[in-house]
Amino acid sequence: MYKTSSIVYIFLAAFAATAEEAPSPDGTTVSGLSYKTVSAREFQVTPDTGEDMGAPLSALIHQIIKEQTPAIIQLEKGTYYLDGNGCDHSVFMVDHARNLIIRGEGPETRLIVGRPSIGTFFFSSGEDLWVEDLSIDYDPLPYTQGRVLVVNAKGGWFDLAIDPGYALLSEPWFANAPDPDGKWGMIFSPKEPALKPGAADFVYIEKWEQLGKRAWRLFPPAEHTQRLADLRMGDRFVQLARHGKGGAVFFWRCVESGVRNVHIYASQSVAVGAVSTDRITVSRLFVGRKPDTDRLVSTDADAVHIQQNLRGPVIEECLFESMADDGINIYYPSNIVTSIVSETAVRTDRSGIIEPGDRLQLFDAMEGRILLETKAESVVPGPDNEYRVTLDKALPELEVGAVHGLSLHNVSRCGADFIIRKNTFRNHRRHGMVIKAPQGVIEDNVMESLGGYGIVVGNDAETPEGIVPYDLSISGNHIREVGRSRWYGVDNMAAALQITTHAERGRLAKERAIHGITLRNNRFENPPGPALYIGAARNIHIDTLQISYSENSVVPKKTAAIVIENADTIGMKRIQVESQQKEVHAGVLICDSVDEGLEGADIEEIQITGPITMETVRDERQ
């Protein structure tokens, strides 16, 4: 831990006088702009003092914003303690800034946040804002970990011995985390820093009580007590305090901003987040367990979380590991229709932002259909946190006042035109990527040892989140050993790569709304059943796909390597399947809901190596 000095606050009071002197520039040019470089040390932002550097660095940032001159704030190597006192949301709230770079000298420039319930950088309403060449960590951490002593599944509890050096559950940031989504934990293997294979990937914890100095009894809610069957004495367990306040670096309504060469070892929420933003770049970001520690997780939530972005992100050459959630999530939070006002107007909740001129889809989640593609002609905020949205086209024949599981997807704010390239995803809780956006490129990524699937392409009709993706290029990816946690392998639509239009209650949609997906040169090892599932889709083209199941792989149900259901215009060529598992009964399964003949599925050059009973293609249409 670190101490806080009152000298810092004396400096803050005097800052207005001293900061009038312009920091010395060095004429650095970035992207055609001339940036002055400001030495943070000259403004008493000094490493390795053990004193709070959050207040003076925040004051320096705000002084530079006032000057409205492109600037680089240069931090030296060393440890900068940020105590977070007086901060309700994030240590650095940076509003209406432009052309600002906060730069360290590599991961040895260490920012240590002292309050595990707040974020670090929160940028809002800015442009050309960057965090570069530094690392972010927390002390104390926004989670704790320990080893399971006793499990009483019938009694609905288990005992946990918290590891030395980790916070006790009596600390306020655990009790004060939001219910229930901020208070849950994960089961880890006894020896490896990895999720326990075949176990539930999360367990809500409703309450806890102290038994001894470091021993605690944890109680899941009634609906999660059956998950205690996955716990054994000696297993390790991580309990999160997930507060969801921004993230290590978060952008709200920003343009052309991002992070480069940043290491993030912990966060009470996401590593990098962007909401209602236009083109974020995430380059050479490392999210993972701090080296030379016995930590089991990195961040409490996703590595990169993209919501309601006008143009999607560019995410390249990153390493994501040990997060408590997804690697990358791109989506729009659909607006639930609460009533139909007229033949051209609806009321919706305000889950997502809608502005006049935005392109919208009216989606029927009950059936899984896009009923209308239109634009917002006018948007008027209403009572009860609602919008009244007038459309430029008439609604289909729906009864005025009635609501039938309808929602609006905003195509203009869903993160379209994204690039995800040359990243590695390793040993984290859920999916590698969750893609609910169109017109993107996913290429040359590696996903391995994940609790969830490798790539999930499709809408979420339950939450709901959209949109239904289209026009994607997925090439050169290597996905191995994914879907390792309980449930993922036995789901009806399980696959290392899932391309699906969903209806409510986890059902396959009736409409083949997802379309225009091209797969080239992808490789799968030991998938959780199928390597590829295509459902409620059309115009999917696959060229060169390699799938292998080793003798030691776990295939939880009878399956084919590729499953096609409720689809048309599916083209495949150069498919290779090698299996040593008798559960894999065919290379390709074409379900009877696929259109007849080659108009439904056209397969060329498929090679199968496996048990003598294994079929090349099982066609249920015949």
Side-chain angles (χ1 to χ4, degrees):
M1 299 297 293
Y2 299 80
K3 63 180 181 178
T4 301
S5 170
S6 60
I7 296 174
V8 170
Y9 301 103
I10 295 171
F11 162 73
L12 274 178
F15 187 87
T18 61
E20 293 303 321
E21 301 172 12
S24 56
D26 72 352
T28 302
T29 300
V30 180
S31 301
L33 287 176
S34 179
Y35 284 71
K36 66 180 179 183
T37 297
V38 180
S39 169
R41 177 179 283 274
E42 292 181 11
F43 289 81
Q44 301 183 36
V45 183
T46 309
D48 303 321
T49 65
E51 301 168 356
D52 175 49
M53 291 294 115
L57 180 54
S58 181
L60 174 57
I61 291 169
H62 286 92
Q63 177 61 28
I64 288 174
I65 293 171
K66 285 173 58 179
E67 293 176 0
Q68 299 184 357
T69 301
I72 300 169
I73 297 177
Q74 184 65 57
L75 299 167
E76 302 171 8
K77 291 181 181 180
T79 299
Y80 298 81
Y81 178 58
L82 315 172
D83 69 16
N85 288 337
C87 302
D88 179 58
H89 187 279
S90 297
V91 177
F92 303 111
M93 301 294 292
V94 184
D95 191 28
H96 289 92
R98 292 171 59 90
N99 311 127
L100 174 64
I101 301 171
I102 300 171
R103 178 182 291 167
E105 296 181 342
E108 295 81 12
T109 301
R110 297 176 291 270
L111 306 186
I112 310 295
V113 181
R115 282 187 62 195
S117 59
I118 63 174
T120 310
F121 291 98
F122 190 91
F123 298 96
S124 61
S125 303
E127 183 175 355
D128 186 29
L129 307 174
W130 299 88
V131 178
E132 301 179 349
D133 298 302
L134 52 78
S135 63
I136 297 173
D137 199 7
Y138 279 70
D139 183 10
L141 293 164
Y143 63 86
T144 194
Q145 66 182 54
R147 195 170 292 273
V148 175
L149 299 173
V150 178
V151 181
N152 187 329
K154 185 177 290 187
W157 53 262
F158 67 97
D159 292 347
L160 184 72
I162 293 178
D163 291 342
Y166 291 85
L168 299 179
L169 291 170
S170 52
E171 296 291 354
W173 55 88
F174 292 102
N176 294 339
D179 286 317
D181 293 330
K183 298 175 180 175
W184 51 272
M186 298 175 290
I187 305 168
F188 282 76
S189 296
K191 295 181 180 179
E192 301 297 324
L195 290 167
K196 185 177 181 179
D201 66 338
F202 74 101
V203 183
Y204 280 129
I205 300 298
E206 190 171 54
K207 61 181 180 178
W208 47 81
E209 59 186 41
Q210 191 165 12
L211 304 177
K213 185 176 181 180
R214 304 196 69 81
W216 293 76
R217 181 160 293 170
L218 282 69
F219 297 85
E223 62 271 21
H224 275 212
T225 54
Q226 57 85 19
R227 303 185 184 196
L228 297 181
D230 296 336
L231 269 176
R232 296 289 184 274
M233 183 176 67
D235 286 347
R236 291 182 293 177
F237 191 84
V238 169
Q239 177 67 19
L240 302 179
R242 179 166 159 164
H243 286 261
K245 294 182 178 178
V249 184
F250 205 94
F251 300 92
W252 162 253
R253 289 186 176 270
C254 293
V255 178
E256 297 282 2
S257 302
V259 300
R260 300 187 185 103
N261 304 314
V262 171
H263 289 224
I264 297 174
Y265 303 126
S267 171
Q268 47 78 47
S269 182
V270 301
V272 175
V275 173
S276 193
T277 289
D278 188 6
R279 189 61 96 197
I280 290 297
T281 296
V282 180
S283 177
R284 296 183 295 280
L285 170 67
F286 171 75
V287 179
R289 297 179 300 118
K290 187 177 182 180
D292 302 318
T293 70
D294 62 352
R295 298 181 188 181
L296 295 175
V297 300
S298 55
T299 60
D300 285 13
D302 300 344
V304 181
H305 190 94
I306 305 295
Q307 183 196 106
Q308 305 183 67
N309 282 17
L310 280 76
R311 287 179 296 163
V314 177
I315 305 171
E316 297 182 306
E317 298 182 324
C318 301
L319 173 57
F320 303 128
E321 64 178 19
S322 303
M323 301 86 65
D325 220 315
D326 301 313
I328 297 171
N329 198 340
I330 306 176
Y331 68 101
Y332 177 81
S334 306
N335 301 80
I336 297 172
V337 175
T338 56
S339 66
I340 298 170
V341 179
S342 72
E343 64 178 12
T344 59
V346 297
R347 284 195 180 93
T348 75
D349 70 9
R350 295 175 69 176
S351 299
I353 295 169
I354 302 176
E355 294 185 356
D358 285 353
R359 295 168 52 215
L360 305 175
Q361 294 175 341
L362 179 65
F363 187 78
D364 177 5
M366 293 295 293
E367 298 289 329
R369 297 182 188 275
I370 298 172
L371 300 180
L372 181 68
E373 299 202 39
T374 181
K375 287 186 178 181
E377 202 165 75
S378 69
V379 183
V380 179
D384 301 321
N385 201 31
E386 287 189 328
Y387 283 134
R388 176 177 171 141
V389 184
T390 301
L391 309 173
D392 73 344
K393 293 181 183 177
L395 295 165
E397 293 185 7
L398 298 169
E399 183 181 346
V400 172
V403 177
H404 304 279
L406 303 179
S407 60
L408 289 179
H409 294 174
N410 194 332
V411 182
S412 296
R413 300 174 186 274
C414 66
D417 187 29
F418 62 87
I419 298 172
I420 303 173
R421 180 186 290 138
K422 295 183 179 179
N423 305 288
T424 298
F425 304 76
R426 181 185 300 147
N427 189 31
H428 58 82
R429 185 182 75 87
R430 231 170 68 105
H431 309 311
M433 306 177 201
V434 182
I435 305 299
K436 303 162 191 167
Q439 300 170 326
V441 173
I442 301 170
E443 65 181 22
D444 298 332
N445 301 284
V446 176
M447 283 144 273
E448 57 186 0
S449 301
L450 306 184
Y453 306 134
I455 305 174
V456 176
V457 178
N459 64 306
D460 179 350
E462 205 66 36
T463 305
E465 293 173 354
I467 66 169
V468 179
Y470 58 87
D471 294 351
L472 303 181
S473 173
I474 303 174
S475 63
N477 301 287
H478 186 184
I479 303 176
R480 57 177 177 252
E481 301 282 358
V482 299
R484 291 158 54 89
S485 294
R486 202 216 291 192
W487 303 301
Y488 291 105
V490 298
D491 186 85
N492 290 335
M493 304 176 199
L497 170 52
Q498 186 185 83
I499 300 173
T500 314
T501 310
H502 289 281
E504 282 186 344
R505 298 190 294 276
R507 294 175 293 116
L508 192 63
K510 291 188 176 181
E511 182 183 354
R512 299 163 182 173
I514 195 166
H515 66 277
I517 315 295
T518 301
L519 279 66
R520 293 189 182 90
N521 296 309
N522 295 289
R523 182 155 58 106
F524 301 85
E525 294 181 46
N526 299 333
L532 173 63
Y533 177 89
I534 300 171
R538 67 184 193 274
N539 293 320
I540 311 296
H541 300 283
I542 303 157
D543 184 352
T544 310
L545 194 68
Q546 295 180 328
I547 305 168
S548 63
Y549 299 83
S550 71
E551 185 177 358
N552 297 324
S553 65
V554 177
V555 181
K557 64 179 182 180
K558 290 281 187 182
T559 187
I562 300 171
V563 177
I564 309 170
E565 187 173 4
N566 184 21
D568 69 77
T569 324
I570 309 299
M572 298 186 189
K573 59 183 177 181
R574 290 186 279 273
I575 308 299
Q576 182 177 341
V577 180
E578 181 179 344
S579 175
Q580 300 181 46
Q581 291 288 334
K582 62 182 181 180
E583 288 82 3
V584 182
H585 59 69
V588 180
L589 171 63
I590 304 175
C591 297
D592 59 7
S593 55
V594 176
D595 282 5
E596 292 291 335
L598 299 181
E599 293 181 358
D602 184 4
I603 303 174
E604 305 176 32
E605 302 177 52
I606 181 168
Q607 178 182 341
I608 302 297
T609 304
I612 194 169
T613 56
M614 185 176 174
E615 301 174 63
T616 302
V617 177
R618 179 176 291 184
D619 193 341
E620 295 183 342
R621 301 172 299 175
Q622 299 172 352

